[in-house]
Amino acid sequence: MSKESYPLYPPLPHLRSWVDIDGRALRFNIRVARTRIPKKTKIIAVVKSEAYGHGLIPISKELVQSGIEILGINNIDEAIELRNAGIRTPLLILCPILAPDAPFIVAHDIGVVISSYHEALWLNEAAERQGKRAIVHLKIDTGMGRLGFMPFQFIQEMEKIKKLSSLSIAAICTHFSQADTDIEFTEKQWLEMLKFRSYFKGFPIHVANSAALWRKSVYACDYVRIGLALYGIAPMTFLRRFLKPVMSWKCRVVLIKDLPRGHPISYGASYKLKKPSRIAVLSVGYGDGYFRTLSNKAYVLIKGKRCPIRGAITMNLMMVDVTELPSCKVGDEAVLIGTQGKESITADELAKLSGTISYEIITNIHANLRRNYRHFLSRSNECSLYE
Ligand SMILES: *Cc1c(COP(=O)(O)O)cnc(C)c1O
């Protein structure tokens, strides 16, 4: 998405399904995170996967304006998109690179978390050619079983990498696999990391994701790499009251009908009405990213009331029971994630009901649903259609 695609959309007042993104909530969560970390600690704000479904460019601009020091991304495509949008902030690619990426990474001055000597070689060679130094963060696998050098090989590999004259080692890092669920295992990973901290004095360290940051303040180190909490979603339930969800997902009632007792609802007739009921058809389905596994399980909010989903969710439509809501009419707003009146539905609630995690709920929302950016500092992000 280029910078030009944000400012003004053609006015379409009757969107079927859309996502509101609240800049005030984002800035609030940044301030909350800052209170958890020492002054010297820098924030690597993680914006991979379209800023967790919130929109890469508008969110990144807002984070940068709010003083975020580094943006954490997944790949070179995201890096180039950010640079093309005029964002000059330091970037850090968190995933392994491939050989053809190296020259672009060096040309755009992007940092890379590396887990292998060959990545170091590619970057060193590209940097040598361009008369630059490539920035690398060395990762150690302290228990995640994904990226990083194995601890027993690390010292040896680092000594080899240190000899590459066009590389600059900017930090040493690791990643926790269970910071949200297992305090003991997380501490074990931390102690494994500390062994290296004494050996490689002078290098900055980073280990903490959102969950770890609220587990133990010492995990903050020199940088934190946080995503979920910035978007106002709590990695642990007790954190929920400290954060404000940035995203709300909405759709509309497109049809209402009264159906008799025993009438089946939707494909497979997985629900049969237990009494005469008023059923509202909503303009969203699994093709928009609302999990079909939420059929007959989740609720939506209409006029501040929880309405249960009835029958199978279809590609772009689903049915809810509005028998208790006689004032419900076609065109009404229905909230899938967010707050209406006194009621709220969180991404976490939908995650639990569909057997996944909040990260998957929010990154699964289809990219073609419009994001409305409200209360953003950067005017070019604003879209005030619904104000
Ligand atoms: C995605 C990611 C993060 C951010 O995790 P949150 O739980 O969203 O805070 C941090 N570090 C790495 C390596 C990641 O891939």
Side-chain angles (χ1 to χ4, degrees), residues 46 48 52 94 139 146 175 209-210 225-228 359:
V46 182
K48 63 196 181 197
Y52 292 39
L94 302 171
K139 187 174 235 181
R146 188 176 65 174
H175 191 43
N209 55 5
S210 298
R225 302 183 309 266
I226 50 174
L228 199 69
Y359 301 79

Side-chain angles (χ1 to χ4, degrees), residues 58 82 345 353 364:
L82 286 162
I345 293 175
L353 289 172
N364 197 55

Side-chain angles (χ1 to χ4, degrees), residues 30 90 94 215 225 258 265 275 293 305 342 349 384:
I30 296 169
L94 302 171
R215 276 291 181 225
R225 302 183 309 266
D258 292 302
I265 307 286
K275 55 182 175 36
T293 47
K305 281 232 157 63
K342 293 199 177 82
E349 175 181 335
S384 53

Side-chain angles (χ1 to χ4, degrees), residues 114 119-121 123-125 127 132-136 161-162 164-169:
I114 64 170
E119 287 169 279
L121 276 181
L123 288 165
N124 185 63
E125 191 196 310
K132 285 181 155 182
R133 293 189 96 184
I135 305 151
V136 294
I161 291 169
K162 270 183 174 167
L164 301 172
S165 58
S166 297
L167 281 194
S168 159
I169 300 173

Side-chain angles (χ1 to χ4, degrees), residues 23-52:
R24 280 179 313 195
L26 182 65
R27 295 194 295 278
F28 176 87
N29 299 328
I30 296 169
R31 286 197 299 276
V32 171
R34 288 269 186 219
T35 64
R36 275 299 292 176
I37 62 179
K39 269 223 149 58
K40 63 155 182 125
T41 302
K42 294 180 174 149
I43 296 183
I44 302 170
V46 182
V47 294
K48 63 196 181 197
S49 265
E50 283 294 327
Y52 292 39

Side-chain angles (χ1 to χ4, degrees), residues 44-48 52 72-74 94-95 113 139 144 146-147 173-176 206-214 224-231 233 235 359:
I44 302 170
V46 182
V47 294
K48 63 196 181 197
Y52 292 39
I73 53 177
N74 180 55
L94 302 171
C95 289
V113 174
K139 187 174 235 181
M144 172 75 181
R146 188 176 65 174
L147 307 181
C173 61
T174 193
H175 191 43
F176 293 135
H206 52 94
V207 302
N209 55 5
S210 298
L213 180 56
W214 272 276
V224 293
R225 302 183 309 266
I226 50 174
L228 199 69
L230 294 178
Y231 305 108
I233 302 176
Y359 301 79

